Amino acid sequence: MKSLETLILSGCSSLIRFPEIDGKMERLKTLDLSGCYRVESLSDNLQQAKFLEELDWSETTITEPPSFIFKLKNIKILSFNGCKGPSSKLRPNLPSLFKVFQGRRTNPMARMLPLLSCLSSLRELKLRDCNLCEGDIPSDISCLSSLTDLDLSGNNFISIPASLTGLSKLESLELSNCNMCTLGEADIHGLSSLRYLYLRGNNFITIPLALTQLSRLDSLQLSSCMKLKSLPELPTSIKDMRIDDCASLKVVASLSNVSNLVDLDFIRAINCFKLAENIKALTLLKRHLKGFANSRKKFEVIMPGSEIPDWFSQQK
């Protein structure tokens, strides 16, 4: 066990208890228990794994994190994703991870847990499908100074939780399928390093102009936002925009302005029939072909259509 670096038990649906392992596990870096939905707790001897970097106990029956987890200062990837599907019926509803932290001021047991600031090396935090609401994300999360990737998909937020604004190094934020109706003007401004924003399957009608403040944003994904009707001028940094199945979408402000999209590599708008009626995809493509006439840059636009114009065959 002294030489063990990786232990993967994912999908062991009959495993009931993570065993007490004899011997030190000082070199253990990765422990994956995802899908072991009968496991209710972690062994205390895991605190020997002082150099553990990745821990995944997604889709288990662990209801609160053991205190020693937050003493492992080398943790870089922590996954506590909930469960959707057949296996979720075999276990109780997964309570919020962060409710433990919020209750620490009144709950004696919760007060024993160290502050989130102890996870100074954490880079990726995955909390998908955990029944979280906005108040469940504590302000302490801003102490995660190394955090670059945060997945909160499948939870319940009205808008981006205000407590996320302190994550100045965050590069990737996933908030897909969260029933969100707005992003919140003030909330977006603090995410200055954000490059990837995933907002699929939400209830937006429009997106605020504050989105343009994200000057480093490379990828914006809004597919399956069925109520979305319009998009404002987009940041010129965007290279990948996906708006598939946005059935109500009619207006995308910057799509008609070639100068704002000289760096955009990919637009995908499959099944956006209303948008196709208002913005002629072929005209859009022709403008960009002219813009890239002396360039080897690749540009793609995918929108509904039923014709190939004569001028297309003449392009060189």
Side-chain angles (χ1 to χ4, degrees):
M1 298 306 295
K2 292 182 179 180
S3 300
L4 185 65
E5 294 184 5
T6 302
L7 178 57
I8 300 175
L9 295 170
S10 61
C12 294
S13 57
S14 297
L15 184 67
I16 296 176
R17 181 177 59 86
F18 186 78
E20 294 282 345
I21 298 176
D22 293 332
K24 294 184 178 181
M25 296 179 290
E26 293 181 347
R27 296 190 182 183
L28 187 65
K29 293 183 178 180
T30 301
L31 175 60
D32 186 348
L33 293 169
S34 60
C36 298
Y37 56 82
R38 297 182 189 273
V39 174
E40 298 180 354
S41 62
L42 293 178
S43 172
D44 286 338
N45 71 336
L46 275 176
Q47 57 190 311
Q48 300 172 5
K50 297 179 180 179
F51 298 99
L52 193 66
E53 295 181 358
E54 181 174 358
L55 176 61
D56 189 342
W57 74 86
S58 302
E59 302 180 31
T60 66
T61 318
I62 299 172
T63 57
E64 69 178 51
S67 59
F68 68 82
I69 292 299
F70 299 96
K71 296 178 182 178
L72 303 177
K73 297 183 179 181
N74 291 294
I75 285 284
K76 296 179 180 178
I77 302 175
L78 180 59
S79 302
F80 192 53
N81 295 329
C83 182
K84 284 188 175 181
S87 61
S88 64
K89 299 178 181 179
L90 301 176
R91 65 192 187 123
N93 291 330
L94 187 67
S96 163
L97 169 67
F98 284 123
K99 284 181 180 177
V100 178
F101 300 121
Q102 284 203 311
R104 64 173 173 260
R105 295 174 179 82
T106 56
N107 187 325
M109 293 297 293
R111 282 198 297 268
M112 295 174 61
L113 295 176
L115 296 173
L116 283 174
S117 57
C118 294
L119 300 176
S120 58
S121 298
L122 193 65
R123 296 178 183 174
E124 298 181 26
L125 180 58
K126 302 176 183 180
L127 297 168
R128 189 170 58 247
D129 300 320
C130 286
N131 296 321
L132 295 170
C133 297
E134 288 184 56
D136 294 328
I137 309 296
S139 58
D140 308 61
I141 198 172
S142 62
C143 296
L144 302 180
S145 57
S146 300
L147 195 67
T148 60
D149 295 75
L150 178 60
D151 186 353
L152 293 171
S153 297
N155 290 294
N156 296 288
F157 304 117
I158 297 174
S159 61
I160 294 180
S163 51
L164 301 185
T165 59
L167 297 173
S168 58
K169 293 185 179 180
L170 195 67
E171 295 182 2
S172 177
L173 177 59
E174 295 206 31
L175 287 164
S176 298
N177 303 307
C178 286
N179 299 314
M180 293 174 61
C181 298
T182 180
L183 293 183
E185 293 282 347
D187 300 336
I188 299 175
H189 179 71
L191 301 172
S192 56
S193 298
L194 203 63
R195 296 183 58 197
Y196 307 98
L197 182 57
Y198 303 95
L199 299 168
R200 298 181 295 264
N202 282 299
N203 298 320
F204 306 118
I205 295 177
T206 187
I207 300 295
L209 289 172
L211 191 69
T212 59
Q213 298 174 359
L214 302 179
S215 59
R216 298 184 182 181
L217 194 64
D218 288 336
S219 178
L220 176 62
Q221 299 199 16
L222 291 160
S223 298
S224 300
C225 291
M226 304 297 290
K227 297 181 180 181
L228 185 65
K229 294 182 178 180
S230 64
L231 286 175
E233 292 283 337
L234 300 172
T236 56
S237 59
I238 291 182
K239 298 180 179 179
D240 185 346
M241 183 172 70
R242 308 198 183 204
I243 47 178
D244 299 338
D245 300 310
C246 291
S248 301
L249 186 62
K250 294 182 179 180
V251 178
V252 180
S254 54
L255 278 183
S256 58
N257 189 336
V258 179
S259 63
N260 281 347
L261 289 175
V262 292
D263 292 325
L264 187 59
D265 295 324
F266 194 90
I267 302 174
R268 197 169 76 180
I270 298 173
N271 295 329
C272 292
F273 295 101
K274 291 185 178 181
L275 179 63
E277 291 175 2
N278 289 342
I279 299 176
K280 298 298 183 181
L282 293 174
T283 302
L284 176 66
L285 180 59
K286 186 175 183 178
R287 289 177 180 175
H288 282 277
L289 286 173
K290 289 182 178 180
F292 296 130
N294 299 317
S295 173
R296 294 184 179 181
K297 195 172 183 67
K298 182 179 179 181
F299 173 76
E300 295 183 33
V301 54
I302 302 175
M303 293 178 67
S306 59
E307 62 177 312
I308 299 177
D310 294 337
W311 58 259
F312 186 79
S313 60
Q314 299 171 4
Q315 297 294 320
K316 295 182 180 180

